Amino acid sequence: MSTNNLQQISAAVLSGVQLSYNQLSKDVPLFSLQELFNFEGFNLNNYCKTFKPHPHIQSLLKEAQEFGRQYGIWLDSAAHYISCATFLYPNAGIERMRAIVQNLAIDYYLNDTMGRDIFAHLSPAAQEAATQMKKRMYQLREDLYIDEDNATPVEQANATVLEYIRGTAPMSWFSGFLRLYAYHIYVAHKDCNMNAAGRLARVDEYIDSRCHLSGMHHVVKFIEYSEGRFLDWEWLAANGIGEQLERLHFITAAIGGLMNDLFSFEKEVIRNNADSNLVMVILCNQPGLTLEQGIRRAADIVRNQLIAFLSLMDYVRTAVQQAAKEAPEQAVIMQSHLQGLERCVQASWIWQVHTQRYKSEHSIFRETRAALTYSR
């Protein structure tokens, strides 16, 4: 498909979306995301009732702010974003939690200064500077060497945090984490819109890329680090659990990333004119759909991921219980890890409802309409 055709499709769909949105936003919120995600026998609100964030949330956020200001990368709106770490890992030790929150502070700075819905609006010079900095960051190797004389403050902050994480985790885990984190930086902080990509992605392609764009793959990886309980993949493979657990990791990441596409739809699509969003990808692939139909189909995808998560979780948990007698220590680690995956899914909902990051006065979603109080 030619560049002109891509531009025409994106512009036509975006124009129709914004026109429809302007009409919908004048009324009472049309959608409840919770109702869209629920299915027979499952209520997302009930599923999350046992969830509580990290008990040291306030002190951790204060320390993250001090860290960000030390390196000149603190954004005033960051507190709303990085608080998600304290929702994702409520049982983490304080030292490990501190490193995770600092990592998210760095990621937030990159996201809101050169992220996928921001990059296209930067000047050519700023785009080039961001591209070169990003290149140095995603090419960082396990020795974490940076040229101190030429590194930007955010690169220095990044190396400092990664050095601490490397020193408090097995090298095998850190290597896998760094690979996922580096790829996230590679794909997330550039123009991800259709015109820049040069093609219209299929919905399944977008879902795969969204997990990396959102950083959810390394967020899931942090579950092990947060409690200092690391998985033995050789044992998992020998017990026929490895492939299922890898799939469960992917689904957990997809739920977080795709659910966020609905929460951030207004920020990304309506305010920043981006088409790198699940709703827009659906509508660009099927231009005849209305905005309401696009939103409902996006929610259907999230709901199907939730169904798959619960089913596969039951399977893996049963397999772990069967292996518990011969390997009780591995079973304890796995049980803790599966609880961590459940908390990650719960946090993907609770934090996005809780944070002010996605609230707006005229939101079409009940959970993000600023004037309304959402109750669990």
Side-chain angles (χ1 to χ4, degrees):
M1 188 178 294
S2 69
T3 301
N4 286 339
N5 287 339
L6 287 172
Q7 290 175 341
Q8 290 172 359
I9 291 173
S10 177
V13 171
L14 184 60
S15 177
V17 164
Q18 294 189 331
L19 181 63
S20 297
Y21 175 84
N22 288 336
Q23 293 298 317
L24 294 174
S25 63
K26 295 176 182 178
D27 302 323
V28 295
L30 179 65
F31 305 100
S32 165
L33 290 172
Q34 182 188 191
E35 291 176 3
L36 290 174
F37 296 152
N38 285 345
F39 53 89
E40 186 177 357
F42 176 82
N43 181 287
L44 186 56
N45 196 35
N46 291 339
Y47 180 70
C48 296
K49 278 190 174 178
T50 59
F51 182 86
K52 294 185 183 300
H54 200 282
H56 300 291
I57 182 171
Q58 295 304 323
S59 61
L60 285 164
L61 292 179
K62 182 179 179 181
E63 290 179 6
Q65 185 177 36
E66 293 171 354
F67 170 82
R69 286 178 172 165
Q70 176 187 349
Y71 287 95
I73 61 170
W74 180 256
L75 301 177
D76 288 340
S77 55
H80 294 314
Y81 176 77
I82 64 175
S83 63
C84 68
T86 61
F87 281 73
L88 288 163
Y89 318 106
N91 294 339
I94 192 71
E95 297 294 332
R96 293 177 180 273
M97 193 72 242
R98 184 178 295 117
I100 293 172
V101 173
Q102 290 173 348
N103 175 265
L104 262 68
I106 292 166
D107 196 48
Y108 178 80
Y109 173 82
L110 295 174
N111 182 77
D112 271 37
T113 57
M114 63 190 74
R116 61 183 179 134
D117 56 330
I118 302 293
F119 192 92
H121 302 290
L122 299 177
S123 68
Q127 287 186 354
E128 177 61 21
T131 298
Q132 292 304 316
M133 185 189 73
K134 179 197 70 175
K135 183 177 180 180
R136 294 191 297 271
M137 292 183 73
Y138 74 68
Q139 289 182 340
L140 198 61
R141 297 295 179 252
E142 292 171 4
D143 62 7
L144 303 179
Y145 170 78
I146 61 171
D147 182 353
E148 293 282 355
D149 293 332
N150 296 309
T152 61
V154 70
E155 292 175 76
Q156 295 171 350
N158 186 53
T160 297
V161 175
L162 289 177
E163 184 176 2
Y164 180 85
I165 293 173
R166 183 186 62 183
T168 50
M171 200 62 193
S172 58
W173 177 89
F174 181 76
S175 297
F177 168 81
L178 185 62
R179 184 175 62 254
L180 291 172
Y181 178 56
Y183 188 67
H184 162 64
I185 292 175
Y186 172 72
V187 299
H189 307 112
K190 62 180 181 179
D191 188 348
C192 293
N193 289 318
M194 188 192 309
N195 293 338
R199 62 188 296 270
L200 170 58
R202 300 191 312 268
V203 173
D204 61 328
E205 291 176 324
Y206 175 78
I207 291 172
D208 184 64
S209 68
R210 182 67 178 105
C211 293
H212 291 288
L213 284 167
S214 64
M216 281 300 299
H217 281 314
H218 76 267
V219 164
V220 170
K221 195 78 172 171
F222 263 144
I223 292 173
E224 295 172 71
Y225 179 81
S226 68
E227 297 183 24
R229 290 178 166 177
F230 299 92
L231 300 174
D232 183 339
W233 286 97
E234 291 185 3
W235 179 84
L236 289 166
N239 285 272
I241 306 173
E243 290 184 7
Q244 287 83 359
L245 185 60
E246 286 181 341
R247 178 61 184 166
L248 195 57
H249 283 177
F250 177 86
I251 295 171
T252 303
I255 289 170
L258 299 177
M259 192 180 283
N260 179 257
D261 268 1
L262 286 158
F263 274 96
S264 60
F265 166 78
E266 289 159 321
K267 169 182 169 290
E268 294 173 354
V269 178
I270 304 304
R271 294 201 287 274
N272 286 325
N273 300 322
D275 57 37
S276 179
N277 180 283
L278 179 60
V279 176
M280 282 294 292
V281 171
I282 290 171
L283 293 174
C284 286
N285 275 279
Q286 297 181 273
L289 296 179
T290 66
L291 172 57
E292 180 173 351
Q293 289 172 323
I295 288 172
R296 292 189 181 279
R297 293 200 181 189
D300 286 346
I301 291 173
V302 174
R303 185 172 62 250
N304 288 336
Q305 295 287 353
L306 285 167
I307 293 170
F309 175 85
L310 294 172
S311 176
L312 192 53
M313 175 64 75
D314 285 344
Y315 177 88
V316 174
R317 183 166 276 143
T318 299
V320 170
Q321 289 172 347
Q322 292 173 347
K325 289 184 179 179
E326 295 183 3
E329 292 183 1
Q330 289 297 329
V332 169
I333 292 173
M334 273 299 297
Q335 287 163 0
S336 175
H337 185 72
L338 295 178
Q339 290 172 358
L341 291 174
E342 285 184 323
R343 287 193 296 268
C344 194
V345 169
Q346 292 173 328
S348 294
W349 169 253
I350 293 296
W351 172 73
Q352 293 185 112
V353 169
H354 168 83
T355 182
Q356 294 297 308
R357 180 168 171 78
Y358 305 112
K359 305 294 186 186
S360 63
E361 185 179 354
H362 301 293
S363 176
I364 59 175
F365 303 115
R366 177 172 178 79
E367 288 81 4
T368 53
R369 178 71 71 98
L372 297 177
T373 300
Y374 181 78
S375 175
R376 290 175 59 191

